Amino acid sequence: MPVGAIDAYIWGYPLVLFDAAMRRDVRGHDASLTGVSLPNDDLAERIEWIDLQRGPSALVLVETTRYHCVSLFDAWGRNFASLGTRTTGNERQTYAIVPPLWNGAAPHGMQTIQSPTDRVAALGQTTKAGDDSAQPQFSIVPIGPRPNPRASNRDADFPRARESIAAGIASAGSRPFLACLQKLLHESERYAKAVGWRDVVDAALRKDPRELDDDFTAAIDLIESGSPLTPPVDGWQARRAFDARGSAYLERARACRFHFLTGDEQDVFHRFARSDDSGRALHGRLPYRLHFDVWNEPPARAFWSLSACDGRFGALLQSKSNSTVRSRDGLVRNADDSLDISIQSAPPDEPNVNWLAVPQEPFGLILRLYWPRPPALNGLWSPPALRAASVAA
């Protein structure tokens, strides 16, 4: 049973963050959400927000020949469904997305997906082709008559912080946070059902403002103190697996904070690097080489890519066309069919080489496997050690 304001802040953090993103109607999957931005030149991305308190909605996926995925997230930031190439194929599909405890009948021919919460985010991702910037092709269509729209939560809005929505929530302080959470809990009994959180929030709002601010700062510090990545192995790091289920409220808050609207690793598998295998930070003044033996190439059913980014895994200020190397781009192979990727700021001296261009400053790398095979998911495969070229030689 919760005991105070700190518990309420941590418990309700995902709901407030999701609500703030939904009201801002963020259309791009970027740093304006939580501040954890992963640049991606492989996929076009689009977010749609679904309010199921006004009734079910149909999700329509068009037929495509490209690798694509639509991930559905509830108001706690949990990925509860994944549709597309890996799971349901590339044919035209129509689903009825329905609210919790819904007992109606979906239109004939529609499969039903029940959301754990009344609010849903649909993140669509589809493979880019060349310079193609087309958005993922899916649509959200209301099912049946709609009641009048409910009142907006705009009175509980947060300042537009330069960094992210999460930064805006943190800088606004305790009372806007609790006011937003109180409104959400009074809108939907399901959030507070059998737990008593609504009473805790109502009681917290009657406390001394200075005490509330201290508790809020302590709660935000606890959430922010989690690390989104595991310790490096051979220079590579993975996403830290936060438990977003059950009563692991702090872990759930951290999962939402650092991995907001991040889909299943079975769709896109990530590895990150900002240091080499000796622990030295990657820097453009040094050349690096990544060698994949033919038996140790990234195991992906669709394709894989290696992208350069800045030292905080953000987008490069001056990105180049060769700042990403992809397996589907016709890579140059060695005589034994192995692969070498030269990672450096200047073009390599040798001809016919796979070159990943990086800036002349600290940088990071993101390795992505689209539709990864089991060895990547169960830990039997890991990327080769990342070494400076002089060491690799």
Side-chain angles (χ1 to χ4, degrees):
M1 180 67 185
V3 295
I6 292 179
D7 306 276
Y9 294 132
I10 292 173
W11 176 83
Y13 185 86
L15 291 178
V16 173
L17 183 61
F18 189 96
D19 180 70
M22 185 174 185
R23 283 183 286 108
R24 192 165 297 183
D25 196 22
V26 177
R27 294 284 165 174
H29 189 201
D30 55 32
S32 64
L33 296 172
T34 59
V36 182
S37 174
L38 296 180
N40 190 334
D41 289 329
D42 303 323
L43 302 179
E45 298 183 326
R46 175 177 137 227
I47 296 174
E48 292 290 340
W49 307 91
I50 309 172
D51 185 353
L52 297 177
Q53 279 203 346
R54 302 183 60 202
S57 289
L59 170 63
V60 182
L61 280 66
V62 302
E63 184 175 2
T64 181
T65 58
R66 303 184 187 187
Y67 175 82
H68 75 124
C69 174
V70 175
S71 301
L72 301 179
F73 300 85
D74 67 13
W76 298 104
R78 299 172 299 194
N79 182 196
F80 66 90
S82 178
L83 311 168
T85 305
R86 178 181 69 86
T87 54
T88 59
N90 281 5
E91 298 77 19
R92 178 183 173 86
Q93 304 159 45
T94 305
Y95 299 88
I97 312 300
V98 304
L101 307 179
W102 188 76
N103 57 6
H108 179 70
M110 281 193 191
Q111 299 182 58
T112 298
I113 299 176
Q114 189 167 73
S115 170
T117 59
D118 293 324
R119 291 174 170 182
V120 175
L123 171 63
Q125 300 174 304
T126 190
T127 307
K128 292 181 180 178
D131 295 331
D132 182 13
S133 59
Q135 290 294 301
Q137 297 299 302
F138 70 97
S139 58
I140 308 296
V141 182
I143 297 176
R146 314 300 280 181
N148 293 329
R150 62 183 176 184
S152 170
N153 204 11
R154 187 64 62 181
D155 57 332
D157 206 354
F158 297 97
R160 290 180 176 267
R162 182 179 59 185
E163 298 86 356
S164 65
I165 291 175
I169 291 172
S171 64
S174 60
R175 297 198 74 83
F177 183 100
L178 287 175
C180 177
L181 184 55
Q182 183 187 52
K183 188 174 181 69
L184 291 172
L185 296 184
H186 282 266
E187 280 181 355
S188 178
E189 292 285 347
R190 297 187 187 97
Y191 294 146
K193 185 179 179 182
V195 183
W197 287 103
R198 191 171 66 178
D199 294 337
V200 174
V201 173
D202 291 347
L205 280 166
R206 295 192 293 268
K207 294 177 65 175
D208 180 83
R210 288 172 296 183
E211 184 179 351
L212 278 181
D213 286 340
D214 291 342
D215 289 346
F216 181 73
T217 299
I220 294 297
D221 287 346
L222 282 171
I223 293 169
E224 294 285 350
S225 65
S227 172
L229 300 177
T230 61
V233 176
D234 287 335
W236 296 99
Q237 297 175 274
R239 293 185 188 274
R240 189 175 295 278
F242 293 119
D243 189 350
R245 301 166 298 175
S247 60
Y249 301 135
L250 179 57
E251 293 302 290
R252 184 175 65 187
R254 287 173 173 169
C256 195
R257 167 63 181 87
F258 294 116
H259 303 327
F260 189 65
L261 303 192
T262 296
D264 197 315
E265 273 215 324
Q266 294 183 76
D267 291 314
V268 185
F269 176 93
H270 292 81
R271 285 296 180 265
F272 307 86
R274 51 188 166 199
S275 61
D276 61 19
D277 64 330
S278 67
R280 293 180 300 179
L282 300 177
H283 199 288
R285 66 172 176 267
L286 291 176
Y288 301 86
R289 180 155 296 192
L290 191 61
H291 176 79
F292 291 105
D293 288 309
V294 66
W295 50 266
N296 198 41
E297 286 187 37
R301 285 188 174 91
F303 67 99
W304 59 265
S305 69
L306 180 68
S307 298
C309 54
D310 67 23
R312 299 178 63 185
F313 302 119
L316 296 174
L317 291 178
Q318 295 182 330
S319 182
K320 303 177 182 178
S321 60
N322 52 353
S323 293
T324 296
V325 170
R326 301 179 183 86
S327 60
R328 57 186 174 88
D329 288 345
L331 300 179
V332 177
R333 292 185 174 271
N334 301 320
D336 60 357
D337 269 348
S338 63
L339 283 172
D340 283 313
I341 300 177
S342 292
I343 304 169
Q344 54 194 70
S345 58
D349 294 331
E350 62 268 35
N352 299 323
V353 66
N354 303 305
W355 174 38
L356 180 72
V358 299
Q360 294 181 325
E361 57 190 35
F363 68 91
L365 298 172
I366 304 175
L367 177 65
R368 293 180 173 93
L369 280 61
Y370 295 94
W371 195 357
R373 296 183 183 276
L377 297 169
N378 60 26
L380 293 179
W381 177 87
S382 58
L386 186 59
R387 296 191 175 100
S390 57
V391 176

